[in-house]
Amino acid sequence: MKPVKPLSPAYDWIIVGGGLVGASIAYGLIQKQPQLRILVLDGSDTDYRASVGNFGLIWVQGKGHNFPAYANWSLQGADLWPQFAQQLSFQSQIDLGYQRQGGLEFALSQSHLDTLSEEMAAIADHTQGAFHYNVLNREATLALQPGLGEAVVGAIYSPQDGQVNPLYLLLALQKASQLCGVDYQSSCRVDTIEALGHGFKAAGFVGKKILLCAGLDNQRLGKQLAMHLPVRPVKGQILITERTDLGMLNYASPQLLQTAEGTIQVGGSSEHLGLDDRSSLDIMSSIAEEAVAVLPNLSNLKLVRSWGALRVMSPDGAPIYQQSQQYKGAFGVCCHSGVTLAAAHAGPLSNWLLNSLNEDPLNLIEAMSNERFSI
Amino acid sequence: MSDFLFNHLLDDAHQCPIIVNGVACQVPEQLNVAAALLYLGHLANRQHPVSGELRGSYCHAGFCFECLVAIDGQANQRACLTQITPNMSINTALAGVN
Amino acid sequence: MAQIYDYLVIGAGPAGMAAAIETSNAGLSVLVLDQASSAGGQIYRNLGHADKQQTSVLGSNYGAGKPLLECFMAANCDYQSSVQVWHIETHTKGFLVAAIVAGETKSFLTSHLLLAHGAMERPMAITGWHKPGVLTAGAGQILLKSSALMPKEVVLVGSGPLLLLLAQQYRVAGVAIKAILDTTPKSNYWYAIPWLVAGLTNPMELFKGLWLTLVQRIKIPYISGVSHLEVMGDEQVSGVKYTVSDRVYNIDCKLVMLHQGIIAQTQMAQMLRCAMVWNERQQCWQTKADVMGYTSIPGVQVAGDGGSIGGALLAQIEGRVAGMGRVFNTPVVSPWHKKWVYSWLRFRVKQLRWARGLVDRLYRPAEWLSKPADQTIVCRCEQVNAKTIRSIVNSGCAGVNQLKRFTRAGMGACQGRQCGLNLSHLVAQTQQRPMAEVEPLSVRPPLSPINLGQLAKSLRL
């Protein structure tokens, strides 16, 4: 029997999935080591893509109140954003619409406001006071956002929240990475991954290392690489209005967000309906109802389009950063906050993947492995 | 304001009073708002939100959304899908534009 | 508990009216929802209220719709006009149709749905097509039918029977047609010859078409083989530039009407996630449907030009066939002769669709039209030109949906109706893939803009 010559890996890294997670990491890796040969394999035009349903918030408040590592990681990520945005905009020549103007989460009942306050206190505690926030009563909220409806009792304000255009972010990451030499292959679904000993083979390409950023498909692909990546789909619906005068909304909010074009995004929902991303009347109606309760002036604005997408949700909502124990060189990343964590993914996480841990002194990344799901 | 580029086919059509950009006019009663604007010589009815260029009606069937005007105080209505009514107030977004 | 209709028909054109008559006569509870203020669809628009003067200008084909219209108005079905259907979703009882009726939101339930909403003009993206003073030939017809309005002077540009029909109607009405700039490529005439056989199975229509063409060529300045059109003017149209046999010409005018045939509207079917198929002969996406009009989604049918393009007579027959199909699906026992009628109608549908092949081939849009010049605005709503689109596709876009996200093309008010097809052409050309392999723009509610306030109050069943 003739010995079969192993295919020499064409790439140092194959990244499966070209959404915000895959694109941020591809960008981060090539910035750190420009000589790396990186290939991003992206799916087809109509695949489920969490990235396209993203609201565009760079959101710290509320993240990780039950999970200190995640709280710190989110805050760290948000703090890395300004420099990340500047560099990426410059390289890609694309305006990301990035702002760190602060965020408001409106509460429509006192009990809701109380719950939010407790969560924020926990996050401040986890971050040793690095997370800043204010619990605002109705009067104070009105001072920041005039025109609020009677149902609004108050809000949580954090100066550390912001927003970006998530679609242009993805475009910019793709463009900048390509300019630096990253290869992109679209319409390239990965069915099976073969471990070759010296590398991995996926969709006919061979790479020394492989990184799974395929969103909901990570679970299936992870099994092939002996990684347990438990994610399930959680649907979120968004409404988008016609363009209106800029300056209607001065702060970012998960309930209402004004884009640079002047349209207003209204969200959202959390539905557990499996692989169903359709818009539904009952949810759209209740989203509209809440929006109009928060800001009655929105009542006359026309809804121009709606969206539904499937979040990539881990059991506790925090990201999963995992190395395969059995297959050295195989990694998996799952997260539903691809925007907030984009800078962290391009920064410390890319370093971790390249095996230089000096940017993760608190061992946050290790704390977000799948081991936390073992009983 | 453009030239009058359209004629009405019927000789003795009943007229209906409407108000366009604050000016009282009379137009044949069976017209919809988009047709009324063309009849009165308004070829353009808005400024494009991205380019600022003038835009006018195009398809008259509700598909293109170019014919948007304010009708009785409600902004961004499709003129081609709205029949005129007596004393209807129509405002193109060009009231201040020459 | 809200009423659950046996049959909900969207569109009161020939297909919708015929289907409603057929099913209500069989005793089903039927609701027809239509966008216009009176029944007739586009072809018979305003037929119920048209003046004698209008009818004489519009021609015999227009008046021929009267019997159908009268039968529909007398039928035992519910009918609501001036309705904007903005959302359809599946429901335990079948389907929920959300609409705006007289400024209020209303929801309707039905076990079976017929999409008979017809076609729309093929977007003809030439440089300058977005300037004030450029309308479609369809708009010209609508103005004539609904408002009895006609231009004083106009240049007609494009290709297709509707353009010639409009020219005929305008001539009778006394409009000064400065010219017809016909973009039909000369090669189309050669390729259409084999289809003459098909056309001959419909001799009256063939003869009428030939006569119409001949008359316009004689009576109006008629320039054929036109390409590389550009509409000139700053704030409004001042003229049209065009090329014939490598020579460039100019014609001054203030009003231009464009036409490149019609394409099926597919928003509702796409929103329901019906399987779509690229129709190479008609150069547009269409809802995949069987001979009774049933789509890939159980309980959803299409009929008329909203399914595949075939004209008023075919639409009427398809509507009737769809209605019969709906009745056959009920416990109502159909009289024996109905099955014979049904077989005959099925045959007629096949025959007329085949005959249509002549028109489809003869007036297939010239290739250069799907390759807009760099400076041509392809997405009117968001002002995105062909150059931007090509460069984004070249940098590795998976397809037209990703293209939309990266450029905003297709995100504006019309939600891709005026640009979707051309965006797909650009993706297909740049990626060197056939159109059949390029997915169309995905469709989401609302199909028609709705106020947040109205949405907040929309009835939930």
Side-chain angles (χ1 to χ4, degrees), chain A residues 194-209:
Chain A
E194 214 183 307
L196 301 171
H198 59 282
F200 301 89
K201 190 170 171 196
F205 297 96
V206 181
K208 284 187 194 148
K209 299 199 180 155

PDB file of all heavy atoms in Angstrom, chain A residues 194-209:
ATOM      1  N   GLU A 194     -12.598  17.244   9.178  1.00  0.00           N
ATOM      2  CA  GLU A 194     -11.756  16.064   9.336  1.00  0.00           C
ATOM      3  C   GLU A 194     -10.484  16.459  10.068  1.00  0.00           C
ATOM      4  O   GLU A 194      -9.796  17.409   9.678  1.00  0.00           O
ATOM      5  CB  GLU A 194     -11.384  15.570   7.938  1.00  0.00           C
ATOM      6  CG  GLU A 194     -11.245  14.085   7.791  1.00  0.00           C
ATOM      7  CD  GLU A 194     -10.790  13.758   6.369  1.00  0.00           C
ATOM      8  OE1 GLU A 194     -11.454  14.235   5.431  1.00  0.00           O
ATOM      9  OE2 GLU A 194      -9.750  13.090   6.235  1.00  0.00           O
ATOM     10  N   ALA A 195     -10.191  15.749  11.154  1.00  0.00           N
ATOM     11  CA  ALA A 195      -8.936  16.022  11.853  1.00  0.00           C
ATOM     12  C   ALA A 195      -7.841  15.204  11.188  1.00  0.00           C
ATOM     13  O   ALA A 195      -7.944  13.985  11.092  1.00  0.00           O
ATOM     14  CB  ALA A 195      -9.075  15.628  13.323  1.00  0.00           C
ATOM     15  N   LEU A 196      -6.784  15.875  10.704  1.00  0.00           N
ATOM     16  CA  LEU A 196      -5.754  15.198   9.929  1.00  0.00           C
ATOM     17  C   LEU A 196      -4.472  14.952  10.721  1.00  0.00           C
ATOM     18  O   LEU A 196      -3.493  14.530  10.166  1.00  0.00           O
ATOM     19  CB  LEU A 196      -5.404  16.037   8.678  1.00  0.00           C
ATOM     20  CG  LEU A 196      -6.548  16.332   7.714  1.00  0.00           C
ATOM     21  CD1 LEU A 196      -6.090  17.351   6.676  1.00  0.00           C
ATOM     22  CD2 LEU A 196      -7.017  15.069   7.013  1.00  0.00           C
ATOM     23  N   GLY A 197      -4.484  15.275  11.991  1.00  0.00           N
ATOM     24  CA  GLY A 197      -3.248  15.091  12.756  1.00  0.00           C
ATOM     25  C   GLY A 197      -2.418  16.356  12.760  1.00  0.00           C
ATOM     26  O   GLY A 197      -2.126  16.925  13.805  1.00  0.00           O
ATOM     27  N   HIS A 198      -2.065  16.841  11.551  1.00  0.00           N
ATOM     28  CA  HIS A 198      -1.269  18.058  11.462  1.00  0.00           C
ATOM     29  C   HIS A 198      -2.139  19.278  11.177  1.00  0.00           C
ATOM     30  O   HIS A 198      -1.653  20.372  11.001  1.00  0.00           O
ATOM     31  CB  HIS A 198      -0.226  17.910  10.341  1.00  0.00           C
ATOM     32  CG  HIS A 198      -0.869  17.647   9.019  1.00  0.00           C
ATOM     33  ND1 HIS A 198      -1.357  16.405   8.675  1.00  0.00           N
ATOM     34  CD2 HIS A 198      -1.151  18.478   7.993  1.00  0.00           C
ATOM     35  CE1 HIS A 198      -1.889  16.466   7.463  1.00  0.00           C
ATOM     36  NE2 HIS A 198      -1.796  17.709   7.025  1.00  0.00           N
ATOM     37  N   GLY A 199      -3.398  19.003  11.090  1.00  0.00           N
ATOM     38  CA  GLY A 199      -4.305  20.114  10.774  1.00  0.00           C
ATOM     39  C   GLY A 199      -5.727  19.617  10.667  1.00  0.00           C
ATOM     40  O   GLY A 199      -6.065  18.526  11.143  1.00  0.00           O
ATOM     41  N   PHE A 200      -6.569  20.443  10.059  1.00  0.00           N
ATOM     42  CA  PHE A 200      -7.986  20.113   9.920  1.00  0.00           C
ATOM     43  C   PHE A 200      -8.431  20.414   8.506  1.00  0.00           C
ATOM     44  O   PHE A 200      -7.967  21.371   7.882  1.00  0.00           O
ATOM     45  CB  PHE A 200      -8.824  20.947  10.913  1.00  0.00           C
ATOM     46  CG  PHE A 200      -8.425  20.728  12.343  1.00  0.00           C
ATOM     47  CD1 PHE A 200      -7.434  21.498  12.920  1.00  0.00           C
ATOM     48  CD2 PHE A 200      -9.040  19.726  13.092  1.00  0.00           C
ATOM     49  CE1 PHE A 200      -7.052  21.279  14.239  1.00  0.00           C
ATOM     50  CE2 PHE A 200      -8.666  19.515  14.414  1.00  0.00           C
ATOM     51  CZ  PHE A 200      -7.661  20.286  14.990  1.00  0.00           C
ATOM     52  N   LYS A 201      -9.367  19.588   7.995  1.00  0.00           N
ATOM     53  CA  LYS A 201      -9.886  19.797   6.644  1.00  0.00           C
ATOM     54  C   LYS A 201     -11.370  20.131   6.738  1.00  0.00           C
ATOM     55  O   LYS A 201     -12.141  19.407   7.372  1.00  0.00           O
ATOM     56  CB  LYS A 201      -9.701  18.525   5.820  1.00  0.00           C
ATOM     57  CG  LYS A 201      -9.993  18.700   4.340  1.00  0.00           C
ATOM     58  CD  LYS A 201      -9.559  17.463   3.578  1.00  0.00           C
ATOM     59  CE  LYS A 201     -10.026  17.527   2.146  1.00  0.00           C
ATOM     60  NZ  LYS A 201      -9.956  16.234   1.486  1.00  0.00           N
ATOM     61  N   ALA A 202     -11.727  21.243   6.106  1.00  0.00           N
ATOM     62  CA  ALA A 202     -13.134  21.671   6.092  1.00  0.00           C
ATOM     63  C   ALA A 202     -13.464  22.242   4.730  1.00  0.00           C
ATOM     64  O   ALA A 202     -12.730  23.096   4.228  1.00  0.00           O
ATOM     65  CB  ALA A 202     -13.377  22.728   7.171  1.00  0.00           C
ATOM     66  N   ALA A 203     -14.556  21.751   4.135  1.00  0.00           N
ATOM     67  CA  ALA A 203     -15.012  22.232   2.817  1.00  0.00           C
ATOM     68  C   ALA A 203     -13.896  22.215   1.796  1.00  0.00           C
ATOM     69  O   ALA A 203     -13.801  23.097   0.946  1.00  0.00           O
ATOM     70  CB  ALA A 203     -15.610  23.633   2.941  1.00  0.00           C
ATOM     71  N   GLY A 204     -13.015  21.229   1.889  1.00  0.00           N
ATOM     72  CA  GLY A 204     -11.943  21.105   0.906  1.00  0.00           C
ATOM     73  C   GLY A 204     -10.703  21.926   1.202  1.00  0.00           C
ATOM     74  O   GLY A 204      -9.718  21.844   0.476  1.00  0.00           O
ATOM     75  N   PHE A 205     -10.728  22.721   2.272  1.00  0.00           N
ATOM     76  CA  PHE A 205      -9.551  23.521   2.614  1.00  0.00           C
ATOM     77  C   PHE A 205      -8.879  22.913   3.841  1.00  0.00           C
ATOM     78  O   PHE A 205      -9.531  22.300   4.686  1.00  0.00           O
ATOM     79  CB  PHE A 205      -9.958  24.962   2.929  1.00  0.00           C
ATOM     80  CG  PHE A 205     -10.575  25.671   1.756  1.00  0.00           C
ATOM     81  CD1 PHE A 205     -11.949  25.734   1.608  1.00  0.00           C
ATOM     82  CD2 PHE A 205      -9.770  26.271   0.785  1.00  0.00           C
ATOM     83  CE1 PHE A 205     -12.533  26.371   0.525  1.00  0.00           C
ATOM     84  CE2 PHE A 205     -10.335  26.915  -0.289  1.00  0.00           C
ATOM     85  CZ  PHE A 205     -11.720  26.961  -0.426  1.00  0.00           C
ATOM     86  N   VAL A 206      -7.576  23.119   3.946  1.00  0.00           N
ATOM     87  CA  VAL A 206      -6.837  22.552   5.070  1.00  0.00           C
ATOM     88  C   VAL A 206      -6.171  23.667   5.855  1.00  0.00           C
ATOM     89  O   VAL A 206      -5.553  24.574   5.276  1.00  0.00           O
ATOM     90  CB  VAL A 206      -5.770  21.550   4.583  1.00  0.00           C
ATOM     91  CG1 VAL A 206      -5.023  20.948   5.767  1.00  0.00           C
ATOM     92  CG2 VAL A 206      -6.422  20.451   3.767  1.00  0.00           C
ATOM     93  N   GLY A 207      -6.308  23.618   7.171  1.00  0.00           N
ATOM     94  CA  GLY A 207      -5.683  24.625   8.025  1.00  0.00           C
ATOM     95  C   GLY A 207      -5.068  23.973   9.234  1.00  0.00           C
ATOM     96  O   GLY A 207      -5.545  22.944   9.712  1.00  0.00           O
ATOM     97  N   LYS A 208      -3.986  24.601   9.744  1.00  0.00           N
ATOM     98  CA  LYS A 208      -3.307  24.021  10.925  1.00  0.00           C
ATOM     99  C   LYS A 208      -4.235  24.064  12.129  1.00  0.00           C
ATOM    100  O   LYS A 208      -4.281  23.134  12.918  1.00  0.00           O
ATOM    101  CB  LYS A 208      -2.039  24.822  11.242  1.00  0.00           C
ATOM    102  CG  LYS A 208      -0.882  24.554  10.324  1.00  0.00           C
ATOM    103  CD  LYS A 208       0.396  25.260  10.824  1.00  0.00           C
ATOM    104  CE  LYS A 208       1.456  25.268   9.729  1.00  0.00           C
ATOM    105  NZ  LYS A 208       2.306  26.466   9.815  1.00  0.00           N
ATOM    106  N   LYS A 209      -4.931  25.171  12.247  1.00  0.00           N
ATOM    107  CA  LYS A 209      -5.856  25.324  13.377  1.00  0.00           C
ATOM    108  C   LYS A 209      -7.233  25.667  12.846  1.00  0.00           C
ATOM    109  O   LYS A 209      -7.373  26.225  11.749  1.00  0.00           O
ATOM    110  CB  LYS A 209      -5.362  26.433  14.309  1.00  0.00           C
ATOM    111  CG  LYS A 209      -4.013  26.137  14.899  1.00  0.00           C
ATOM    112  CD  LYS A 209      -3.722  26.967  16.123  1.00  0.00           C
ATOM    113  CE  LYS A 209      -2.338  26.583  16.650  1.00  0.00           C
ATOM    114  NZ  LYS A 209      -1.723  27.637  17.410  1.00  0.00           N
TER     115      LYS A 209
END
